[in-house]
């Protein structure tokens, strides 16, 4: 039997004891690829986290981001929100990229990497393209775009850098049709495959009933759940503002916000000022292994974001059979199964959010459609199946 090829998962987000949910979908995919390849991961280091570890069949290396506790990547929301929160980090960004590039070069050489799988076009795809073009032409490169790298970074210099990377990759995968179109507009000329990240459908199941989430938070009526970073991009302000309107129709509704972020203090104040503090529970960050119970026991999952690629939390909600209400973003509006698996509302519109959530909770057929959403997730999003699809794409590139 021939030796397995060695692939490098190159990412700016990967779970660690310091931030156990950051890039969890990257870790899940990497773990599914262990059956097919020798897997090495290169991700940013965080204070107090080991620089090298081996677990789940993977070798995980972490590169230094700077000195004195400087952190740009690996925080909630990713690199762009971190730069917006602290503009001074922009001054350090070139040095961060230099450190990341040097770590990439060193890892490719020492680990004898055959293929780099870069998550996000900027900066990982760009740095990997430079490495391949100028230093190691025999190495193969697969880039996966998740959303912000194509949707939030515009033209000018950034556009030229994206074009450079896209035209030097051996393969490109995206998580939605919208991103495929954006990649073509940005300059990609090859075959672009639409491959979502996967979800463990055996874990995220409608049958998960432990721990008892309703008892933990004292929820007796309808439970609406949000899971994600409490940041501007996720639209959580509008969600809290929708609660007084929703409660007029569904008096027993409770909103459970799962996650942490910079808006947490403001959301607490807002809920109190609107008179819904007893109906808006901020649960804080939750371990990923505890999330299946949150999804399975909620009546409705809501994601009011202003921008998304194809988010893992939506896949987890579908796998759990939950009603899924999301903003009218192109990734959801253009989905071929839209009418079957989503309920859509206008992003940033509290009145429309309240109306759609109210209709969903009052729908007498809502519970009976749980099976339909679950079947979709199992057939299209199961992690093992997605891992095999990525392995096929990597082997195609390696054999070309």
């Amino acid at each position: 039997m021939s030796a397995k090829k060695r692939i490098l998962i190159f990412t700016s987000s990967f779970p660690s004891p310091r931030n156990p949910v950051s890039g969890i979908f990257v870790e899940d995919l990497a773990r599914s690829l262990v059956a097919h390849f020798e897997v090495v991961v290169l991700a940013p280091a965080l204070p107090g986290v080991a620089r090298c570890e081996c677990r789940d069949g993977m070798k995980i290396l972490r590169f230094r981001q700077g000195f004195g506790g400087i952190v740009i990547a690996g925080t909630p929301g990713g690199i762009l929100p971190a730069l917006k929160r602290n503009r001074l980090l922009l001054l350090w960004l070139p040095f961060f990229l230099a450190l990341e590039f040097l770590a990439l070069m060193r890892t490719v050489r020492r680990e004898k990497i055959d293929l780099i799988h870069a998550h996000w076009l900027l900066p990982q795809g760009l740095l990997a393209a430079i490495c391949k073009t100028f230093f190691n032409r025999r190495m193969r490169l697969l880039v996966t775009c998740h959303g912000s790298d194509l949707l939030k970074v515009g033209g000018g210099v950034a556009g030229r850098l994206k074009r450079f990377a896209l035209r030097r990759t051996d393969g490109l995968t995206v998580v939605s049709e919208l991103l495929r179109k954006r990649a073509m507009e940005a300059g990609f000329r090859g075959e672009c495959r639409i491959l979502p990240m996967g979800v463990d459908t055996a874990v995220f199941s409608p049958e998960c009933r432990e721990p008892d989430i309703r008892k933990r938070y004292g929820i007796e009526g309808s439970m609406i759940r949000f899971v994600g970073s409490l940041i501007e991009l996720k639209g959580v302000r509008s969600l809290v503002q929708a609660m007084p309107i929703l409660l007029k129709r569904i008096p027993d509704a409770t909103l459970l916000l799962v996650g942490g972020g910079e808006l947490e203090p403001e959301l607490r104040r807002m809920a109190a000022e609107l008179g819904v503090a007893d109906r808006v529970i901020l649960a804080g960050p939750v371990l990923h292994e505890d999330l299946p119970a949150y999804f399975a026991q909620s009546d409705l999952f809501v994601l009011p974001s202003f921008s998304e690629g194809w988010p893992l939390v939506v896949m987890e909600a579908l796998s759990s059979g939950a009603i899924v209400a999301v903003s009218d973003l192109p990734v959801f509006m253009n989905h071929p199964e839209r009418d079957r698996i989503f309920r859509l509302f206008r992003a940033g519109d509290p009145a429309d959010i309240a109306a759609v959530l109210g209709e969903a909770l009052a729908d007498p057929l809502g519970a009976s459609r749980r099976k339909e959403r679950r079947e979709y997730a199992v057939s299209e999003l199961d992690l093992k199946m997605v891992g095999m699809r990525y392995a096929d794409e990597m082997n195609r590139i390696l054999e070309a």
Side-chain angles (χ1 to χ4, degrees), residues 76 229-231 259-265:
S229 298
L230 302 182
I231 58 176
E262 61 196 48
L263 294 183
E264 185 171 349

Side-chain angles (χ1 to χ4, degrees), residues 66-354:
F67 307 95
I70 292 177
V71 172
I72 291 180
T75 56
I79 292 177
L80 289 178
L83 295 175
K84 289 180 180 179
R85 286 193 297 268
N86 185 354
R87 294 291 183 178
L88 291 177
L89 289 177
L90 285 169
L91 300 175
W92 186 254
L93 184 59
F95 301 99
F96 166 83
L97 295 176
L99 290 169
E100 186 175 16
F101 181 70
L102 290 173
L104 173 65
M105 293 283 290
R106 182 171 60 250
T107 303
V108 167
R109 183 180 69 253
R110 290 180 179 177
E111 300 295 332
K112 298 180 173 58
I113 298 299
D114 297 298
L115 178 144
I116 297 175
H117 183 194
H119 287 265
W120 289 279
L121 183 59
L122 297 178
Q124 284 75 230
L126 172 64
L127 297 179
I130 293 172
C131 176
K132 167 184 165 59
T133 302
F134 298 107
F135 300 99
N136 191 341
R137 288 185 174 274
R138 289 181 297 177
M139 186 186 63
R140 303 291 89 185
L141 172 60
L142 171 66
V143 175
T144 293
C145 296
H146 295 279
S148 59
D149 42 359
L150 287 173
L151 299 175
K152 302 298 289 184
V153 182
V157 174
R160 290 193 289 273
L161 293 175
K162 287 196 293 187
R163 191 177 307 111
F164 174 89
L166 286 169
R167 292 185 176 178
R168 286 159 179 81
T169 182
D170 300 295
L172 181 70
T173 66
V174 295
V175 295
S176 70
E177 174 62 24
L178 170 66
L179 295 183
R180 188 193 69 80
K181 292 179 180 177
R182 291 295 175 87
M184 296 302 178
E185 293 168 0
F188 185 66
R189 294 293 177 264
E191 180 182 355
C192 179
R193 294 193 64 188
I194 300 174
L195 288 179
M197 297 293 97
V199 61
D200 191 334
T201 58
V203 172
F204 286 88
S205 163
E207 308 307 319
C208 186
R209 288 288 178 263
E210 292 295 334
D212 189 335
I213 303 305
R214 291 176 176 271
K215 184 177 180 180
R216 174 180 294 181
Y217 296 104
I219 299 173
E220 297 182 355
S222 301
M223 183 165 71
I224 304 165
R225 184 193 66 262
F226 164 89
V227 177
S229 298
L230 302 182
I231 58 176
E232 190 73 37
L233 189 66
K234 295 298 181 180
V236 282
R237 280 198 190 96
S238 301
L239 183 54
V240 173
Q241 290 167 348
M243 284 304 292
I245 308 171
L246 175 63
L247 288 168
K248 293 177 181 177
R249 179 173 182 179
I250 312 290
D252 67 350
T254 297
L255 172 63
L256 184 64
L257 299 174
V258 178
E262 61 196 48
L263 294 183
E264 185 171 349
E266 179 183 339
L267 296 174
R268 289 187 188 278
R269 289 194 303 271
M270 181 183 294
E273 291 168 359
L274 293 172
V276 295
D278 60 332
R279 292 296 182 178
V280 176
I281 300 173
L282 284 89
V286 169
L287 293 175
H288 193 257
E289 55 261 36
D290 291 338
L291 283 179
Y294 284 80
F295 282 97
Q297 296 174 42
S298 298
D299 298 290
L300 189 153
F301 170 78
V302 58
L303 188 65
S305 301
F306 293 109
S307 178
E308 290 289 352
W310 179 226
L312 176 66
V313 288
V314 168
M315 292 188 280
E316 292 169 340
L318 291 169
S319 182
S320 302
I323 302 171
V324 177
V326 291
S327 302
D328 56 350
L329 303 176
V331 63
F332 303 126
M333 291 286 289
N334 299 329
H335 195 282
E337 300 285 346
R338 180 188 72 185
D339 296 333
R340 185 159 72 105
I341 62 177
F342 298 133
R343 286 181 177 266
L344 297 161
F345 51 76
R346 289 188 296 274
D349 186 336
D352 198 49
I353 294 173

